[in-house]
PDB file of all heavy atoms in Angstrom:
ATOM      1  N   ARG A   6     136.066 245.107  20.220  1.00 98.00           N
ATOM      2  CA  ARG A   6     135.863 245.581  21.592  1.00 98.00           C
ATOM      3  C   ARG A   6     135.661 244.387  22.510  1.00 98.00           C
ATOM      4  O   ARG A   6     134.968 243.441  22.164  1.00 98.00           O
ATOM      5  CB  ARG A   6     134.630 246.472  21.625  1.00 98.00           C
ATOM      6  CG  ARG A   6     134.122 246.842  23.002  1.00 98.00           C
ATOM      7  CD  ARG A   6     132.742 247.486  22.840  1.00 98.00           C
ATOM      8  NE  ARG A   6     132.150 247.914  24.066  1.00 98.00           N
ATOM      9  CZ  ARG A   6     131.292 247.194  24.784  1.00 98.00           C
ATOM     10  NH1 ARG A   6     130.951 245.982  24.400  1.00 98.00           N
ATOM     11  NH2 ARG A   6     130.762 247.687  25.887  1.00 98.00           N
ATOM     12  N   TRP A   7     136.281 244.472  23.697  1.00 98.00           N
ATOM     13  CA  TRP A   7     136.080 243.461  24.732  1.00 98.00           C
ATOM     14  C   TRP A   7     135.792 244.165  26.038  1.00 98.00           C
ATOM     15  O   TRP A   7     136.349 245.228  26.312  1.00 98.00           O
ATOM     16  CB  TRP A   7     137.311 242.571  24.920  1.00 98.00           C
ATOM     17  CG  TRP A   7     137.603 241.788  23.695  1.00 98.00           C
ATOM     18  CD1 TRP A   7     137.119 240.552  23.368  1.00 98.00           C
ATOM     19  CD2 TRP A   7     138.422 242.189  22.607  1.00 98.00           C
ATOM     20  NE1 TRP A   7     137.588 240.183  22.144  1.00 98.00           N
ATOM     21  CE2 TRP A   7     138.391 241.179  21.660  1.00 98.00           C
ATOM     22  CE3 TRP A   7     139.173 243.324  22.361  1.00 98.00           C
ATOM     23  CZ2 TRP A   7     139.083 241.250  20.474  1.00 98.00           C
ATOM     24  CZ3 TRP A   7     139.864 243.415  21.180  1.00 98.00           C
ATOM     25  CH2 TRP A   7     139.819 242.364  20.247  1.00 98.00           C
ATOM     26  N   VAL A   8     134.940 243.533  26.844  1.00 98.00           N
ATOM     27  CA  VAL A   8     134.552 244.092  28.136  1.00 98.00           C
ATOM     28  C   VAL A   8     134.614 242.983  29.172  1.00 98.00           C
ATOM     29  O   VAL A   8     134.232 241.832  28.892  1.00 98.00           O
ATOM     30  CB  VAL A   8     133.126 244.680  28.060  1.00 98.00           C
ATOM     31  CG1 VAL A   8     132.678 245.210  29.409  1.00 98.00           C
ATOM     32  CG2 VAL A   8     133.049 245.772  27.017  1.00 98.00           C
ATOM     33  N   ARG A   9     135.079 243.335  30.345  1.00 96.00           N
ATOM     34  CA  ARG A   9     135.135 242.381  31.451  1.00 96.00           C
ATOM     35  C   ARG A   9     133.738 241.816  31.697  1.00 96.00           C
ATOM     36  O   ARG A   9     132.742 242.533  31.635  1.00 96.00           O
ATOM     37  CB  ARG A   9     135.685 243.097  32.692  1.00 96.00           C
ATOM     38  CG  ARG A   9     136.130 242.153  33.770  1.00 96.00           C
ATOM     39  CD  ARG A   9     136.907 242.829  34.870  1.00 96.00           C
ATOM     40  NE  ARG A   9     136.222 244.009  35.382  1.00 96.00           N
ATOM     41  CZ  ARG A   9     136.832 245.119  35.741  1.00 96.00           C
ATOM     42  NH1 ARG A   9     138.136 245.225  35.648  1.00 96.00           N
ATOM     43  NH2 ARG A   9     136.156 246.144  36.201  1.00 96.00           N
ATOM     44  N   SER A  10     133.664 240.543  32.000  1.00 95.00           N
ATOM     45  CA  SER A  10     132.363 239.875  32.130  1.00 95.00           C
ATOM     46  C   SER A  10     131.619 240.255  33.402  1.00 95.00           C
ATOM     47  O   SER A  10     130.398 240.330  33.400  1.00 95.00           O
ATOM     48  CB  SER A  10     132.534 238.358  32.041  1.00 95.00           C
ATOM     49  OG  SER A  10     133.374 237.892  33.075  1.00 95.00           O
ATOM     50  N   ARG A  11     132.328 240.506  34.477  1.00 94.00           N
ATOM     51  CA  ARG A  11     131.678 240.901  35.735  1.00 94.00           C
ATOM     52  C   ARG A  11     131.770 242.408  35.879  1.00 94.00           C
ATOM     53  O   ARG A  11     132.863 242.961  36.021  1.00 94.00           O
ATOM     54  CB  ARG A  11     132.338 240.202  36.918  1.00 94.00           C
ATOM     55  CG  ARG A  11     132.104 238.709  36.888  1.00 94.00           C
ATOM     56  CD  ARG A  11     132.626 238.053  38.142  1.00 94.00           C
ATOM     57  NE  ARG A  11     132.397 236.608  38.063  1.00 94.00           N
ATOM     58  CZ  ARG A  11     133.142 235.712  38.662  1.00 94.00           C
ATOM     59  NH1 ARG A  11     134.158 236.082  39.412  1.00 94.00           N
ATOM     60  NH2 ARG A  11     132.866 234.437  38.535  1.00 94.00           N
ATOM     61  N   ARG A  12     130.600 243.056  35.846  1.00 96.00           N
ATOM     62  CA  ARG A  12     130.544 244.513  35.903  1.00 96.00           C
ATOM     63  C   ARG A  12     129.467 244.964  36.883  1.00 96.00           C
ATOM     64  O   ARG A  12     128.512 244.248  37.140  1.00 96.00           O
ATOM     65  CB  ARG A  12     130.223 245.089  34.525  1.00 96.00           C
ATOM     66  CG  ARG A  12     131.247 244.752  33.466  1.00 96.00           C
ATOM     67  CD  ARG A  12     130.910 245.395  32.131  1.00 96.00           C
ATOM     68  NE  ARG A  12     129.586 245.128  31.603  1.00 96.00           N
ATOM     69  CZ  ARG A  12     129.265 244.055  30.889  1.00 96.00           C
ATOM     70  NH1 ARG A  12     130.156 243.131  30.628  1.00 96.00           N
ATOM     71  NH2 ARG A  12     128.038 243.913  30.424  1.00 96.00           N
ATOM     72  N   THR A  13     129.632 246.178  37.352  1.00 97.00           N
ATOM     73  CA  THR A  13     128.628 246.806  38.203  1.00 97.00           C
ATOM     74  C   THR A  13     127.759 247.722  37.339  1.00 97.00           C
ATOM     75  O   THR A  13     128.142 248.055  36.203  1.00 97.00           O
ATOM     76  CB  THR A  13     129.305 247.655  39.298  1.00 97.00           C
ATOM     77  OG1 THR A  13     129.952 248.768  38.666  1.00 97.00           O
ATOM     78  CG2 THR A  13     130.313 246.826  40.107  1.00 97.00           C
ATOM     79  N   PRO A  14     126.628 248.180  37.867  1.00 98.00           N
ATOM     80  CA  PRO A  14     125.845 249.181  37.120  1.00 98.00           C
ATOM     81  C   PRO A  14     126.651 250.457  36.834  1.00 98.00           C
ATOM     82  O   PRO A  14     126.497 251.054  35.767  1.00 98.00           O
ATOM     83  CB  PRO A  14     124.652 249.452  38.041  1.00 98.00           C
ATOM     84  CG  PRO A  14     124.481 248.175  38.816  1.00 98.00           C
ATOM     85  CD  PRO A  14     125.892 247.671  39.037  1.00 98.00           C
ATOM     86  N   ASP A  15     127.528 250.859  37.765  1.00 97.00           N
ATOM     87  CA  ASP A  15     128.386 252.021  37.508  1.00 97.00           C
ATOM     88  C   ASP A  15     129.348 251.758  36.354  1.00 97.00           C
ATOM     89  O   ASP A  15     129.617 252.649  35.539  1.00 97.00           O
ATOM     90  CB  ASP A  15     129.182 252.401  38.760  1.00 97.00           C
ATOM     91  CG  ASP A  15     128.318 253.053  39.832  1.00 97.00           C
ATOM     92  OD1 ASP A  15     127.202 253.515  39.513  1.00 97.00           O
ATOM     93  OD2 ASP A  15     128.772 253.094  40.989  1.00 97.00           O
ATOM     94  N   ASP A  16     129.874 250.528  36.282  1.00 97.00           N
ATOM     95  CA  ASP A  16     130.742 250.154  35.156  1.00 97.00           C
ATOM     96  C   ASP A  16     129.985 250.284  33.840  1.00 97.00           C
ATOM     97  O   ASP A  16     130.517 250.814  32.856  1.00 97.00           O
ATOM     98  CB  ASP A  16     131.246 248.715  35.299  1.00 97.00           C
ATOM     99  CG  ASP A  16     132.237 248.511  36.417  1.00 97.00           C
ATOM    100  OD1 ASP A  16     132.863 249.497  36.867  1.00 97.00           O
ATOM    101  OD2 ASP A  16     132.389 247.340  36.849  1.00 97.00           O
ATOM    102  N   ASP A  17     128.740 249.795  33.827  1.00 98.00           N
ATOM    103  CA  ASP A  17     127.949 249.856  32.594  1.00 98.00           C
ATOM    104  C   ASP A  17     127.661 251.299  32.182  1.00 98.00           C
ATOM    105  O   ASP A  17     127.698 251.623  30.992  1.00 98.00           O
ATOM    106  CB  ASP A  17     126.652 249.059  32.752  1.00 98.00           C
ATOM    107  CG  ASP A  17     126.898 247.553  32.765  1.00 98.00           C
ATOM    108  OD1 ASP A  17     127.942 247.097  32.240  1.00 98.00           O
ATOM    109  OD2 ASP A  17     126.039 246.817  33.300  1.00 98.00           O
ATOM    110  N   ALA A  18     127.396 252.163  33.152  1.00 98.00           N
ATOM    111  CA  ALA A  18     127.171 253.579  32.833  1.00 98.00           C
ATOM    112  C   ALA A  18     128.449 254.205  32.274  1.00 98.00           C
ATOM    113  O   ALA A  18     128.402 254.975  31.308  1.00 98.00           O
ATOM    114  CB  ALA A  18     126.705 254.327  34.085  1.00 98.00           C
ATOM    115  N   GLU A  19     129.591 253.870  32.869  1.00 98.00           N
ATOM    116  CA  GLU A  19     130.872 254.381  32.376  1.00 98.00           C
ATOM    117  C   GLU A  19     131.153 253.869  30.971  1.00 98.00           C
ATOM    118  O   GLU A  19     131.659 254.608  30.120  1.00 98.00           O
ATOM    119  CB  GLU A  19     131.981 253.966  33.334  1.00 98.00           C
ATOM    120  CG  GLU A  19     133.340 254.521  32.989  1.00 98.00           C
ATOM    121  CD  GLU A  19     134.348 254.201  34.070  1.00 98.00           C
ATOM    122  OE1 GLU A  19     134.328 254.844  35.139  1.00 98.00           O
ATOM    123  OE2 GLU A  19     135.166 253.280  33.836  1.00 98.00           O
ATOM    124  N   LEU A  20     130.804 252.620  30.716  1.00 98.00           N
ATOM    125  CA  LEU A  20     131.021 252.039  29.387  1.00 98.00           C
ATOM    126  C   LEU A  20     130.236 252.773  28.308  1.00 98.00           C
ATOM    127  O   LEU A  20     130.705 252.870  27.169  1.00 98.00           O
ATOM    128  CB  LEU A  20     130.660 250.557  29.383  1.00 98.00           C
ATOM    129  CG  LEU A  20     131.730 249.640  29.945  1.00 98.00           C
ATOM    130  CD1 LEU A  20     131.156 248.243  30.185  1.00 98.00           C
ATOM    131  CD2 LEU A  20     132.934 249.573  29.031  1.00 98.00           C
ATOM    132  N   GLU A  21     129.072 253.306  28.644  1.00 98.00           N
ATOM    133  CA  GLU A  21     128.309 254.081  27.657  1.00 98.00           C
ATOM    134  C   GLU A  21     129.107 255.293  27.200  1.00 98.00           C
ATOM    135  O   GLU A  21     129.150 255.608  26.010  1.00 98.00           O
ATOM    136  CB  GLU A  21     126.963 254.511  28.235  1.00 98.00           C
ATOM    137  CG  GLU A  21     125.959 253.384  28.325  1.00 98.00           C
ATOM    138  CD  GLU A  21     124.594 253.875  28.772  1.00 98.00           C
ATOM    139  OE1 GLU A  21     124.179 254.980  28.337  1.00 98.00           O
ATOM    140  OE2 GLU A  21     123.944 253.153  29.540  1.00 98.00           O
ATOM    141  N   VAL A  22     129.758 255.970  28.140  1.00 98.00           N
ATOM    142  CA  VAL A  22     130.587 257.127  27.806  1.00 98.00           C
ATOM    143  C   VAL A  22     131.785 256.692  26.959  1.00 98.00           C
ATOM    144  O   VAL A  22     132.082 257.287  25.921  1.00 98.00           O
ATOM    145  CB  VAL A  22     131.065 257.846  29.089  1.00 98.00           C
ATOM    146  CG1 VAL A  22     132.077 258.937  28.766  1.00 98.00           C
ATOM    147  CG2 VAL A  22     129.876 258.399  29.864  1.00 98.00           C
ATOM    148  N   VAL A  23     132.463 255.639  27.397  1.00 98.00           N
ATOM    149  CA  VAL A  23     133.652 255.145  26.696  1.00 98.00           C
ATOM    150  C   VAL A  23     133.283 254.659  25.296  1.00 98.00           C
ATOM    151  O   VAL A  23     133.980 254.964  24.318  1.00 98.00           O
ATOM    152  CB  VAL A  23     134.336 254.036  27.518  1.00 98.00           C
ATOM    153  CG1 VAL A  23     135.473 253.395  26.736  1.00 98.00           C
ATOM    154  CG2 VAL A  23     134.855 254.605  28.841  1.00 98.00           C
ATOM    155  N   ASP A  24     132.182 253.931  25.177  1.00 98.00           N
ATOM    156  CA  ASP A  24     131.741 253.466  23.858  1.00 98.00           C
ATOM    157  C   ASP A  24     131.408 254.637  22.932  1.00 98.00           C
ATOM    158  O   ASP A  24     131.658 254.570  21.721  1.00 98.00           O
ATOM    159  CB  ASP A  24     130.544 252.534  23.991  1.00 98.00           C
ATOM    160  CG  ASP A  24     130.906 251.170  24.553  1.00 98.00           C
ATOM    161  OD1 ASP A  24     132.100 250.809  24.560  1.00 98.00           O
ATOM    162  OD2 ASP A  24     129.980 250.454  24.999  1.00 98.00           O
ATOM    163  N   GLY A  25     130.856 255.711  23.495  1.00 98.00           N
ATOM    164  CA  GLY A  25     130.578 256.901  22.688  1.00 98.00           C
ATOM    165  C   GLY A  25     131.856 257.529  22.154  1.00 98.00           C
ATOM    166  O   GLY A  25     131.919 257.935  20.985  1.00 98.00           O
ATOM    167  N   LEU A  26     132.889 257.586  22.989  1.00 98.00           N
ATOM    168  CA  LEU A  26     134.184 258.111  22.537  1.00 98.00           C
ATOM    169  C   LEU A  26     134.801 257.195  21.486  1.00 98.00           C
ATOM    170  O   LEU A  26     135.398 257.662  20.509  1.00 98.00           O
ATOM    171  CB  LEU A  26     135.128 258.289  23.718  1.00 98.00           C
ATOM    172  CG  LEU A  26     134.717 259.361  24.730  1.00 98.00           C
ATOM    173  CD1 LEU A  26     135.565 259.272  25.994  1.00 98.00           C
ATOM    174  CD2 LEU A  26     134.807 260.744  24.114  1.00 98.00           C
ATOM    175  N   ALA A  27     134.669 255.882  21.685  1.00 98.00           N
ATOM    176  CA  ALA A  27     135.187 254.925  20.691  1.00 98.00           C
ATOM    177  C   ALA A  27     134.477 255.105  19.354  1.00 98.00           C
ATOM    178  O   ALA A  27     135.124 255.063  18.294  1.00 98.00           O
ATOM    179  CB  ALA A  27     135.024 253.500  21.203  1.00 98.00           C
ATOM    180  N   ALA A  28     133.177 255.327  19.388  1.00 98.00           N
ATOM    181  CA  ALA A  28     132.422 255.530  18.146  1.00 98.00           C
ATOM    182  C   ALA A  28     132.896 256.798  17.437  1.00 98.00           C
ATOM    183  O   ALA A  28     133.043 256.804  16.197  1.00 98.00           O
ATOM    184  CB  ALA A  28     130.927 255.608  18.447  1.00 98.00           C
TER     185      ALA A  28
END
Side-chain angles (χ1 to χ4, degrees):
R6 169 191 181 265
W7 297 271
V8 177
R9 195 169 50 218
S10 60
R11 293 186 181 152
R12 299 182 306 275
T13 67
D15 287 342
D16 290 339
D17 288 337
E19 184 173 284
L20 279 167
E21 286 186 39
V22 172
V23 173
D24 287 344
L26 294 169

